[in-house]
Amino acid sequence: MKAVDYTPNPQRPQFARAIRRLERDVLRMGALVEQSFRLSHQALFARNLTAAEELPRLDKKIDRFYRQIESDCTAIMTLQAPTAQDLRCLSAFMQLVRDLERIGDYAEDLAEIAIKIFPYAPHTCLPEIEAMSLHAQAMLATSLKALGDFDEAGGRRLKHLDDTVDDAYDRVYQTLAQQRDVPGVVEPIVLLALAIRCLERMADHATNIGQRVAYIVTGQRS
């Protein structure tokens, strides 16, 4: 099936402007989430605690966008009699901003982990976790580009990219779980297990965004 780019009805210019404004707000929210992800990466892997301290402020901005976009979508659904295709777009927006909000929450969690793990020496599996984080960030960027272009193929591609993060999660988890003769406290191992779980869930939410983009364009759920 060849997808057709979603375009709001040009015969209803006020409605079309409202949809485009929503799209811009979602992408602005996405840019903030990308920034929060980058800061959490710096906090955890560059041991930059100043970056970690920025996360709560960013998370408040992300949450404000989330509430505003949900409210705007609801208002448009209620007051502007959208078509079935427009309703599909609005409902997908409401779902994918939830995915973005959750990625922002996980970024804040990673920053908290970075602060707690800071006193300990870096673990040997940290480079693989860093690669996992970079891949998940690339997935988020890909999902937002797919949204900006209403690119069905780009949205669906996320599902395959997610396999890399899942495989890394399994490998690192097994490394941490099978570690023997741990000197001192086990807190850093527990914290790293939490960190890879955050990254795995962030990649899942990026995948969800891609699938929602494909749904906007085609009307078909994968």
Side-chain angles (χ1 to χ4, degrees):
M1 174 179 178
K2 182 175 176 57
V4 179
D5 184 18
Y6 169 72
T7 304
N9 189 342
Q11 296 179 348
R12 301 178 62 195
Q14 183 178 357
F15 183 85
R17 284 195 298 271
I19 292 289
R20 292 305 186 198
R21 185 169 58 250
L22 271 174
E23 182 189 349
R24 286 195 300 270
D25 285 346
V26 172
L27 291 173
R28 287 169 64 195
M29 179 183 176
L32 288 175
V33 173
E34 284 191 291
Q35 185 182 357
S36 69
F37 202 159
R38 285 194 297 270
L39 287 171
S40 70
H41 183 96
Q42 292 171 21
L44 188 57
F45 302 106
R47 299 169 72 85
N48 182 349
L49 298 190
T50 302
E53 292 168 357
E54 286 290 308
L55 267 294
R57 179 185 61 83
L58 266 179
D59 194 57
K60 286 184 174 62
K61 288 185 177 181
I62 291 166
D63 288 345
R64 281 197 296 271
F65 264 113
Y66 172 55
R67 291 191 295 269
Q68 173 201 322
I69 292 166
E70 271 206 331
S71 176
D72 290 347
C73 286
T74 302
I76 293 172
M77 288 178 177
T78 305
L79 301 174
Q80 298 203 28
T83 66
Q85 188 182 35
D86 295 329
L87 278 173
R88 192 168 76 216
C89 179
L90 290 166
S91 65
F93 277 171
M94 292 178 75
Q95 291 172 323
L96 69 82
V97 293
R98 177 59 177 164
D99 288 308
L100 284 172
E101 191 269 341
R102 291 300 297 135
I103 294 173
D105 285 345
Y106 283 120
E108 193 170 21
D109 291 343
L110 285 173
E112 292 175 2
I113 290 169
I115 292 169
K116 291 177 181 177
I117 209 169
F118 183 81
Y120 301 102
H123 193 277
T124 54
C125 70
L126 213 56
E128 187 165 11
I129 300 175
E130 182 174 11
M132 185 180 175
S133 174
L134 291 170
H135 191 83
Q137 288 179 67
M139 288 178 63
L140 175 59
T142 299
S143 73
L144 292 172
K145 185 177 188 307
L147 174 62
D149 297 338
F150 284 119
D151 177 8
E152 177 213 357
R156 294 198 187 281
R157 192 158 52 244
L158 270 296
K159 198 167 185 179
H160 301 292
L161 296 175
D162 191 41
D163 292 341
T164 299
V165 175
D166 288 341
D167 291 344
Y169 173 82
D170 290 340
R171 286 194 304 273
V172 176
Y173 182 85
Q174 288 303 317
T175 298
L176 296 173
Q178 295 175 12
Q179 191 166 342
R180 298 290 184 267
D181 301 323
V182 179
V185 296
V186 298
E187 184 182 28
I189 294 174
V190 173
L191 290 170
L192 289 176
L194 292 172
I196 62 172
R197 179 58 177 163
C198 288
L199 291 168
E200 189 266 341
R201 293 300 297 138
M202 292 162 100
D204 285 346
H205 284 292
T207 301
N208 289 346
I209 293 169
Q211 291 175 332
R212 300 191 202 291
V213 171
Y215 173 67
I216 291 172
V217 177
T218 67
Q220 296 182 340
R221 296 189 183 276
S222 57

